[in-house]
């Protein structure tokens, strides 16, 4: 069953005299429980596409359906409710509140949902254990490493059990060990909790953890790979081949 459906989505920036088409008539479905990566060179439109799905940006044309609800039509309180109840967003720069502890940062999303203190405490401690951050719950962001901050941000995104988790370059600011740990947790959430994840990344290693990769070029879907029964190493090799097709050096093209 498709959880998310994009139908002929377009996003333009600028005026009539200098129009930039960031997303150019893109359509695809994401199944419930699928882990999809979106790759593309800088300026390809991948982050704009993610911003349209997250309702940070409004589409210029087309429709985005989540569970048969057209999210491109939402406004005001309906839009706020959708973001609060159905979306989890993981930003590259963490976006943690500096004046709150890790525990309070994670609990914030549940507080906004007006959950009971007992429910909040249980949910925060459970997700902290799953992501290996129990020992930093009482710390403030400035007291944490980059990897710890990213895992706290991830815990905040998934603690409400959202229908859809969106991640924008989640490993971009992490060292390789922290990145691998975070990606293993994404796999855990995907397999054990059936979390549906869409992740934008420029990194082939990061993308190889997904079950499907969409390649975006000049605002369009250029290619698609499905992992199927292949190992992550085999899938990584396939991704590298497509990256090479897209042109440029692997390390800086995507």
């Amino acid at each position: 069953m498709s959880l998310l459906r994009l139908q002929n989505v377009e996003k333009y920036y600028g005026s009539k005299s200098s129009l930039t088409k960031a997303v150019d008539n893109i359509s695809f479905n994401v199944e419930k429980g699928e882990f999809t990566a979106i790759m593309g060179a800088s300026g390809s439109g991948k982050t704009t596409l993610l911003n349209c799905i997250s309702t940070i940006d409004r589409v210029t044309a087309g429709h985005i359906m989540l569970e048969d609800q057209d999210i491109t039509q939402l406004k005001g309180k309906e839009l706020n409710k959708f973001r609060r109840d159905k979306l989890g967003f993981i930003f590259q720069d963490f976006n943690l509140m500096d004046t709150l502890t890790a525990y309070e940062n994670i609990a914030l999303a549940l507080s906004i949902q007006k959950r009971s203190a007992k429910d909040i405490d249980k949910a925060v401690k459970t997700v902290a254990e799953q992501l290996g951050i129990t020992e930093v719950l009482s710390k403030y962001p400035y007291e944490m490493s980059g990897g710890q901050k990213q895992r706290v941000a991830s815990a905040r995104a998934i603690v409400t059990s959202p229908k859809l988790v969106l991640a924008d370059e989640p490993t971009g600011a992490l060292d390789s060990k922290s990145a691998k740990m975070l990606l293993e947790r994404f796999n855990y959430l995907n397999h054990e909790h059936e979390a549906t994840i869409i992740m934008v990344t420029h990194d082939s290693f990061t993308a190889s953890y997904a079950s499907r990769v969409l390649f975006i070029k000049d605002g369009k879907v250029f290619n698609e790979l499905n992992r199927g029964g292949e190992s992550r190493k085999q899938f990584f090799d396939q991704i590298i081949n497509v990256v090479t097709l897209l042109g440029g050096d692997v390390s800086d093209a995507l």
Side-chain angles (χ1 to χ4, degrees), residues 123-156:
V124 171
K125 286 177 177 172
T126 298
V127 77
E129 190 175 335
Q130 288 170 351
L131 290 174
I133 48 170
T134 303
E135 75 282 1
V136 301
L137 285 179
S138 60
K139 292 185 176 180
Y140 290 90
Y142 72 88
E143 298 175 300
M144 300 179 218
S145 69
Q148 288 169 334
K149 282 190 274 195
Q150 187 60 294
R151 279 181 280 151
V152 170
S154 301
R156 180 186 58 188

Side-chain angles (χ1 to χ4, degrees), residues 73-171:
Q73 304 298 312
L74 298 178
K75 292 176 183 172
K77 287 183 179 177
E78 275 191 326
L79 183 58
N80 290 337
K81 187 175 188 300
F82 166 75
R83 289 171 174 164
R84 184 185 70 217
D85 296 342
K86 295 194 174 179
L87 277 192
F89 206 110
I90 303 169
F91 299 89
Q92 182 177 353
D93 55 0
F94 320 131
N95 277 22
L96 296 175
M97 304 279 282
D98 291 334
T99 55
L100 301 180
T101 63
Y103 181 100
E104 291 163 342
N105 265 288
I106 299 166
L108 192 58
L110 296 166
S111 303
I112 292 167
Q113 289 185 345
K114 297 183 168 57
R115 301 269 283 273
S116 71
K118 186 180 177 184
D119 278 355
I120 290 172
D121 188 62
K122 184 182 177 185
V124 171
K125 286 177 177 172
T126 298
V127 77
E129 190 175 335
Q130 288 170 351
L131 290 174
I133 48 170
T134 303
E135 75 282 1
V136 301
L137 285 179
S138 60
K139 292 185 176 180
Y140 290 90
Y142 72 88
E143 298 175 300
M144 300 179 218
S145 69
Q148 288 169 334
K149 282 190 274 195
Q150 187 60 294
R151 279 181 280 151
V152 170
S154 301
R156 180 186 58 188
I158 62 172
V159 73
T160 58
S161 300
K163 296 289 182 185
L164 185 62
V165 177
L166 303 173
D168 187 11
E169 299 281 8
T171 60

Side-chain angles (χ1 to χ4, degrees), residues 4-18:
L4 182 76
R5 287 183 290 130
L6 277 73
Q7 301 169 342
N8 309 110
V9 171
E10 298 185 355
K11 177 64 182 177
Y12 303 164
Y13 290 112
S15 59
K16 284 183 180 177
S17 57
S18 60

Side-chain angles (χ1 to χ4, degrees), residues 129-246:
E129 190 175 335
Q130 288 170 351
L131 290 174
I133 48 170
T134 303
E135 75 282 1
V136 301
L137 285 179
S138 60
K139 292 185 176 180
Y140 290 90
Y142 72 88
E143 298 175 300
M144 300 179 218
S145 69
Q148 288 169 334
K149 282 190 274 195
Q150 187 60 294
R151 279 181 280 151
V152 170
S154 301
R156 180 186 58 188
I158 62 172
V159 73
T160 58
S161 300
K163 296 289 182 185
L164 185 62
V165 177
L166 303 173
D168 187 11
E169 299 281 8
T171 60
L174 302 181
D175 60 67
S176 57
K177 184 183 175 185
S178 298
K180 194 174 181 195
M181 192 179 293
L182 181 67
L183 291 164
E184 295 286 358
R185 295 300 177 179
F186 276 10
N187 265 349
Y188 171 82
L189 294 166
N190 179 237
H191 292 135
E192 302 300 321
H193 292 262
E194 293 191 332
T196 305
I197 302 169
I198 299 178
M199 172 179 70
V200 160
T201 182
H202 70 282
D203 181 61
S204 300
F205 175 80
T206 299
S208 70
Y209 277 82
S211 54
R212 175 169 70 143
V213 181
L214 295 174
F215 297 87
I216 307 293
K217 185 177 183 181
D218 301 326
K220 295 175 182 283
V221 176
F222 167 79
N223 205 335
E224 177 180 336
L225 286 179
N226 286 282
R227 182 168 166 181
E230 292 188 332
S231 69
R232 198 178 58 72
K233 173 68 172 69
Q234 289 170 319
F235 196 42
F236 171 77
D237 291 339
Q238 276 199 49
I239 293 166
I240 290 290
N241 288 338
V242 177
V243 169
T244 308
L245 266 180
L246 279 167

